[in-house]
Amino acid sequence: VDTEDQTQLTELMEPLHAADIADLLEQLNSYDRARLIRLYDREFDGDILSELDESIREEVIATLRPQVLADAVRELESDDVVDLIEDLEEPQQEAILDALEDSDRVAVEQAMAWPEGSAGRLMQREVVMAPEHWNVGQAIDHLRNSDELPEQFYHIVLVDPRMHPIGNVTLGKLMGSRREVPLIDLTEDMFRVIPATQDEEDVAYAFNQYHLISAPVVDEEGRLAGVITIDDAMAVLDEEHEEDILRLAGVSDDSSLSDSVADTAKRRLPWLAVNLLTAILASLVISQFEETLSKFVALAVLMPIVASMGGNAGTQSLTVAVRALATKDLTGANVWRVIRREVVVGLLNGLVFAVSMGIIGLVWFNSPIIGYVIAVAMVINLMVAGLAGTVIPVVMDKMGVDPALASGTFVTTVTDVVGFFAFLGLAGMVMM
Amino acid sequence: VDTEDQTQLTELMEPLHAADIADLLEQLNSYDRARLIRLYDREFDGDILSELDESIREEVIATLRPQVLADAVRELESDDVVDLIEDLEEPQQEAILDALEDSDRVAVEQAMAWPEGSAGRLMQREVVMAPEHWNVGQAIDHLRNSDELPEQFYHIVLVDPRMHPIGNVTLGKLMGSRREVPLIDLTEDMFRVIPATQDEEDVAYAFNQYHLISAPVVDEEGRLAGVITIDDAMAVLDEEHEEDILRLAGVSDDSSLSDSVADTAKRRLPWLAVNLLTAILASLVISQFEETLSKFVALAVLMPIVASMGGNAGTQSLTVAVRALATKDLTGANVWRVIRREVVVGLLNGLVFAVSMGIIGLVWFNSPIIGYVIAVAMVINLMVAGLAGTVIPVVMDKMGVDPALASGTFVTTVTDVVGFFAFLGLAGMVMM
């Protein structure tokens, strides 16, 4: 396609949504990407920039001619510009700010004054509001006489004289009610005010938990500063999930498929290094039993089984705990019950696999003692796995660290060390 | 609290949202839960049932007196009833259907005719629509004269004479336009029609990708059958993420914190059993080298390090691939580039850890040969980890199996087998 003429390309891209064009750009390699952008830059849409992955966004912005970039950015709403520039380097940020009209630039700069990842960054500043004492007729007339309504809005926010938001009225209710009904009688049951400094993760949780569609955001004095709608909250929820799932696997959460090889390798290195240290720790445990091992090589054959089962069971408990912490289902009220449950589950499954491994050990190595040792070690390690898999993320959460971030490595370290120690230690005691 | 009087309890619970009451019930043990429900049942809200975890929902429904249950269910909208009953056992389903009014029961039964997990189950059947030739004035008058508008609606769906949806008009646009403007001039740019048979996972993806707020659902003949709004899509997105994260850890995805110990143990057993088989496979590989091991016990001490590093690197690649498949960022167009990238990343990080482990092996065991063997085995295993971590989920996805479901076990099996084989095999060749 890329060698073809500009008109044909523009025709092909015409029906595509900005998000799809962004996906297309992400899937090309950098060389083809630059060629495509240079061919396509007549109609380059600002929304494409918003939809691009961070790592590629900088590259694309650098490729675009300044004039095209300025046109693209000027089309965007102020909250999209904030989202676009907050991860860019200083010089690119300024290039974009300079391209904006004065009023937009002020709006963007005000939003950037809120901390990164806060509701203040997420909100849009255009709000449709009405004084609390108005009735339906006044609100409808006001709306019909407004020159510029926001692109998307679903509620009217009622405010008191000090600009404190006191309720939401949906446009649907407004349409369906007689003109003389006071707005205050039509407010939604479910109404939550969000402080501008609140973490966007908590905002997404509130939308999901309380089925909010939009919620007013207030500044430190409780005055209406903007509004967050469910589509923004959904995007945050999606990002948070991505972060959780990648962190659980020890992948840095700002990585993406379009990162370069060197970047990817560098980003994955730290957790592998941590894992190396913990693996060496496990090896040190094993080396304490070199004498036992040299007499009974069968132990070396079987020992990874105990460690692997413990690691697996620990990861199961861990993932359930991390997820329950994220959805606020695991709290101080039930933490002891959950821990007890995980340990008992470890005991039950430990017994099942103790019996099977005991039999396998007996048949394979024709030694009842090996069967007995692996069975007991299995029960111990699966109980420890349940305990560590729950306690470690809970403690990290209490300490204010994201439990998804490092618990995986800690849990498998515990199950490796306990697994090798229990198996080889028991074998040493019984067999020597 | 539970031993206290009913009035005080009702007062305490009054300000709570149904979702919070549901969370509260989930955190109690069954005995306290039953007592609380019996005390509170005068005002039991149907929404609480919708918010409850499946495992507890059956228990709560069994605890409620039939009259209270009937009252609670009758308040709900038909799509919430569908969501409520689709996971219940037959007798409970019928008890709830019988409690509904005739018209509601028919609506619920029609929705249940669509396959589980489809858009047809997710949609609400109450749609506000208008013929394509109407203008703003006609639409406003129609809305203002309707007796019963849905609780929540944000768009008017335009339909042609054959009831095919052709566009969405937001209430905001309707409010802000003059009466004589034709509705067809106000339709949203972003308009997607969803077939009722489409998988809810794809529905959630479309809402997230295209920033939809609501979308009409059509039956097999393309006629308007209902509408899905973003809050439903957000709930599905959240469930899908939960499913992915739990499946990656080998936890069955319908498990929850409030399951009983026996249920939990039973649900976690299958993946542990699979893991046992693969661990035994790895042990069989080790047992091929018993002779080498009995001569050099140091190998037994170091061999888990190679396997563990491979398992970790493989999980990193795997998680990135599973996530990229879910967000449709990994496609046929870039799969070879991604595979090549992962292998090269494995090579680079393999070289880094080969050097460090080579030195550690040399210093610890004072043997250059052990250092050399572990270094080479490390590079091989990390490259294989990158390959297996990408190819396995891609192949599973092609075969129509959820790549999150079982790939973790497969990938670590590969890295364990390759890790032990490369390390012990090389050692055998070099040292014997």
Side-chain angles (χ1 to χ4, degrees), chain A residues 27 51 144 177 211 337, chain B residues 27 51 144 177 211 337:
Chain A
Q27 287 181 12
E51 301 285 348
R144 299 193 62 81
S177 305
H211 309 291
R337 196 148 42 82
Chain B
Q27 287 181 10
E51 301 285 346
R144 299 194 63 79
S177 306
H211 310 291
R337 195 148 42 83

Side-chain angles (χ1 to χ4, degrees), chain A residues 89-99:
Chain A
E89 307 285 325
E90 197 83 8
Q92 288 197 329
Q93 266 193 14
E94 273 171 32
I96 288 183
L97 280 176
D98 288 342

Side-chain angles (χ1 to χ4, degrees), chain A residues 17 19-20 23 26-29 51 140 143-144 149 152-154 171-172 174-179 188 190 204 207-211 213 230-231 233-234 237-238 241-242 245-246 248-251 256-257 259 261 264-265 268-269 271-273 275-276 279-280 283-284 286-287 290 293-294 297 300-301 303-305 308-309 312-313 315-317 319-320 323-324 328-331 333-334 337-338 341-342 344-345 348-349 352-353 357 360 364 420, chain B residues 17 19-20 23 26-29 51 140 143-144 149 152-154 171-172 174-179 188 190 204-205 207-211 213 230-231 233-234 237-238 241-242 245-246 248-251 256-257 259 261 264-265 268-269 271-273 275-276 279-280 283-284 286-287 290 293-294 297 300-301 303-305 308-309 312-313 315-317 319-320 323-324 328-331 333-334 337-338 341-342 344-345 348-349 353 357 360 364 420:
Chain A
H17 186 264
D20 291 325
D23 284 351
E26 285 167 15
Q27 287 181 12
L28 295 172
N29 64 37
E51 301 285 348
I140 290 182
L143 287 178
R144 299 193 62 81
L149 292 172
Q152 300 273 349
F153 74 107
Y154 312 101
L171 294 184
L174 199 66
M175 289 285 206
S177 305
R178 279 168 300 116
R179 288 183 62 90
E188 295 287 281
M190 194 20 66
F207 271 81
N208 199 22
Q209 171 86 346
Y210 302 116
H211 309 291
I213 299 297
I230 185 174
D231 49 326
M234 189 173 181
L237 190 76
D238 195 46
H241 281 297
E242 170 135 2
I245 208 166
L246 292 180
L248 270 176
V251 182
S256 96
L257 265 201
D259 287 343
V261 169
T264 308
R268 304 230 183 125
L269 201 75
W271 282 115
L272 289 176
N275 185 62
L276 181 65
I280 290 175
S283 291
L284 285 173
I286 300 174
S287 72
E290 275 192 54
L293 276 170
S294 65
V297 183
V301 173
M303 70 183 187
I305 295 182
S308 155
M309 292 297 284
N312 235 278
T315 306
Q316 289 181 335
S317 300
T319 307
V320 170
R323 176 72 199 166
K328 307 195 184 183
D329 286 333
L330 180 56
T331 63
N334 60 354
R337 196 148 42 82
V338 171
R341 189 189 71 149
E342 292 294 324
V344 177
V345 167
L348 292 181
N349 281 340
V352 171
F353 292 110
M357 267 321 291
I360 292 171
W364 190 351
F420 291 133
Chain B
H17 186 264
D20 291 325
D23 284 351
E26 285 167 14
Q27 287 181 10
L28 294 172
N29 62 38
E51 301 285 346
I140 291 182
L143 287 178
R144 299 194 63 79
L149 292 172
Q152 301 273 351
F153 73 107
Y154 311 100
L171 293 183
L174 199 65
M175 289 284 205
S177 306
R178 279 168 300 115
R179 289 185 61 91
E188 294 287 281
M190 195 19 69
Y205 171 79
F207 270 81
N208 199 22
Q209 171 87 346
Y210 303 117
H211 310 291
I213 299 298
I230 184 173
D231 50 324
M234 189 171 179
L237 190 75
D238 196 47
H241 281 297
E242 170 136 0
I245 208 166
L246 292 180
L248 270 175
V251 183
S256 96
L257 266 198
D259 287 343
V261 169
T264 309
R268 304 230 182 124
L269 202 74
W271 284 114
L272 289 175
N275 185 60
L276 182 65
I280 290 175
S283 292
L284 285 173
I286 301 174
S287 71
E290 273 191 57
L293 275 170
S294 65
V297 183
V301 173
M303 69 183 188
I305 296 182
S308 156
M309 292 297 283
N312 236 278
T315 306
Q316 290 181 335
S317 301
T319 307
V320 170
R323 176 73 199 165
K328 308 194 184 184
D329 286 333
L330 180 55
T331 62
N334 60 353
R337 195 148 42 83
V338 171
R341 190 190 72 149
E342 292 294 323
V344 177
V345 166
L348 292 180
N349 281 340
F353 292 109
M357 267 320 291
I360 293 172
W364 189 351
F420 290 133

Side-chain angles (χ1 to χ4, degrees), chain B residues 16 19 42 63 113 126 171 175 184 190 213 227 234 262 314 332 346 349 360 379 409:
Chain B
L16 292 180
R42 271 199 219 163
T63 313
E126 300 85 13
L171 293 183
M175 289 284 205
I184 198 88
M190 195 19 69
I213 299 298
V227 66
M234 189 171 179
N349 281 340
I360 293 172
V379 174
T409 314

Side-chain angles (χ1 to χ4, degrees), chain B residues 96-144:
Chain B
I96 288 183
L97 282 176
D98 287 343
L100 293 174
E101 286 158 35
D102 283 351
S103 64
D104 286 340
R105 191 172 57 240
V106 172
V108 169
E109 282 167 348
Q110 280 177 344
M112 296 289 284
W114 295 109
E116 206 176 326
S118 69
R121 288 270 181 111
L122 202 61
M123 71 187 182
Q124 60 188 68
R125 307 174 62 82
E126 300 85 13
V127 191
V128 181
M129 52 184 143
E132 52 183 332
H133 56 79
W134 275 13
N135 64 27
V136 170
Q138 286 172 298
I140 291 182
D141 293 343
H142 169 72
L143 287 178
R144 299 194 63 79

